[in-house]
Amino acid sequence: MARITAGVTTSHVPAIGAAIDLGKTREDYWRPVFDGYEFSKKWIRKQKPDVIFLVYNDHATALDLRLVPTFAIGCAAEFPPADEGWGPRPVPMVKGCPDLAWHVAQSVIQDDFDLTIVNEMFVDHGLTVPLSLMFGEPREWPCLVIPFAVNVVVYPPPSGQRCYKLGKAIRRAVDSFDGDLNVQIWGTGGMSHQLQGPRAGLINQPWDKRFLDRLRDEPDELAKVPHLEYVRDAGSEGIELVMWLIMRGALNADAKEVHRFYHVPASNTAVGHVIYENTV
Ligand code: DHB
Ligand code: FE
């Protein structure tokens, strides 16, 4: 039986990837950010997931205005790191898990969610920076990854409620996969940040901290927060946080928070990172 054993959320700021790739992680500005992931790196070495179901958003890298799937599941065997303007990050090829990905696609689509099936895709910082934060700089990523891209770039984004329910459908899909796999689900992006317009630089620490508490304690209620509240209170890119609700929906209500980290700022973003172990 495949099992979702844990959930991880983390910001995916591209400058974090550049700090790793350029050897700057011990510099004064960056050290406090990376210190927040020391527990996580040890934790994941012990957990040894076989597959990560990695919920992230593409930033007009592989998907742009020509094609805007609300939810896209990567079913390929390999996903190369994208060239985001300075060349592809020097990180390993992302290896997919086609068997589980196709199973999730058929289960979730038959469970009334419309997914776009993607068989060829470059993956940008939304996916590679969380892998680097959790695994450091290995020669090969130590597990398989199913990229699951959510549109939070082109209006309209999916609602928090829909994301939360989708997480539950993903859970049902993984639970019904006939294969002995230790699966983690990750939600990336956030926390509060706005990269554009007159409010560029917006960060809202009280709102973020309340979000972290509610994600753990009352996700059913948190899922009802409308998209306008994210944009108003957490900034135009704060809407990335709806992806954390997909992760949360896939876990049990009483999943245990084993790590929480919050740091302001990294680049333009309030960095948030939590780890939940699922109850069985
Ligand atoms: C930044 C954060 C993001 O989530 C992103 O996709 C791009 C940039 C930033 O803080 O600079
Ligand atoms: Fe982003």
Side-chain angles (χ1 to χ4, degrees):
M1 295 273 272
R3 282 285 167 262
I4 295 187
T5 57
V8 175
T9 67
T10 177
S11 307
H12 61 215
V13 179
I16 292 178
I20 296 170
D21 301 340
L22 300 172
K24 295 183 173 180
T25 58
R26 299 326 291 164
E27 289 185 0
D28 287 349
Y29 181 84
W30 289 110
R31 194 185 316 115
V33 176
F34 291 99
D35 282 352
Y37 290 81
E38 281 305 308
F39 169 89
S40 318
K41 285 183 179 156
K42 292 192 198 101
W43 174 85
I44 204 154
R45 272 200 294 273
K46 281 188 247 145
Q47 294 286 318
K48 293 193 179 56
D50 299 305
V51 186
I52 293 165
F53 195 93
L54 206 157
V55 180
Y56 76 110
N57 67 293
D58 178 86
H59 299 75
T61 309
L63 305 165
D64 58 28
L65 276 174
R66 288 171 298 180
L67 183 67
V68 188
T70 302
F71 301 115
I73 184 164
C75 293
E78 289 190 336
F79 303 91
D83 183 342
E84 300 183 53
W86 288 270
R89 288 191 61 215
V91 292
M93 178 75 92
V94 174
K95 300 265 169 56
C97 184
D99 285 357
L100 180 60
W102 277 103
H103 172 81
V104 172
Q106 71 87 21
S107 174
V108 168
I109 290 169
Q110 293 292 319
D111 210 355
D112 303 342
F113 285 88
D114 302 321
L115 306 185
T116 301
I117 292 167
V118 184
N119 289 307
E120 206 181 296
M121 186 161 64
F122 290 95
V123 286
D124 74 5
H125 63 271
L127 183 135
T128 62
V129 167
L131 287 175
S132 299
L133 280 168
M134 295 297 291
F135 292 122
E137 297 176 273
R139 285 165 58 91
E140 298 288 334
W141 299 121
C143 59
L144 305 177
V145 177
I146 297 175
F148 191 89
V150 180
N151 169 45
V152 289
V153 170
V154 181
Y155 189 84
S159 68
Q161 187 70 269
R162 185 154 180 78
C163 288
Y164 188 56
K165 288 183 179 164
L166 172 60
K168 292 180 185 295
I170 292 167
R171 168 71 179 277
R172 287 191 287 274
V174 172
D175 280 352
S176 65
F177 183 72
D178 191 12
D180 187 18
L181 292 176
N182 173 355
V183 182
Q184 290 188 358
I185 183 161
W186 293 11
T188 82
M191 295 189 84
S192 57
H193 63 304
Q194 171 142 349
L195 301 175
Q196 56 195 315
R199 298 198 312 161
L202 179 146
I203 282 179
N204 186 341
Q205 299 196 43
W207 193 92
D208 286 341
K209 288 179 178 164
R210 186 151 182 268
F211 185 93
L212 291 170
D213 287 341
R214 299 184 79 196
L215 187 70
R216 181 189 59 202
D217 300 333
E218 46 174 39
D220 291 359
E221 291 303 308
L222 181 62
K224 293 177 190 159
V225 169
H227 72 276
L228 278 176
E229 184 177 321
Y230 288 87
V231 175
R232 188 189 65 215
D233 293 344
S236 52
E237 279 67 45
I239 189 67
E240 289 180 344
L241 284 165
V242 293
M243 296 185 289
W244 292 28
L245 288 165
I246 298 180
M247 183 278 316
R248 190 66 181 93
L251 302 179
N252 295 342
D254 63 350
K256 186 162 171 268
E257 184 185 278
V258 295
H259 183 57
R260 182 191 288 202
F261 175 61
Y262 184 73
H263 174 82
V264 174
S267 188
N268 303 293
T269 299
V271 169
H273 167 44
V274 292
I275 299 179
Y276 295 102
E277 287 180 4
N278 213 10
T279 46
V280 278

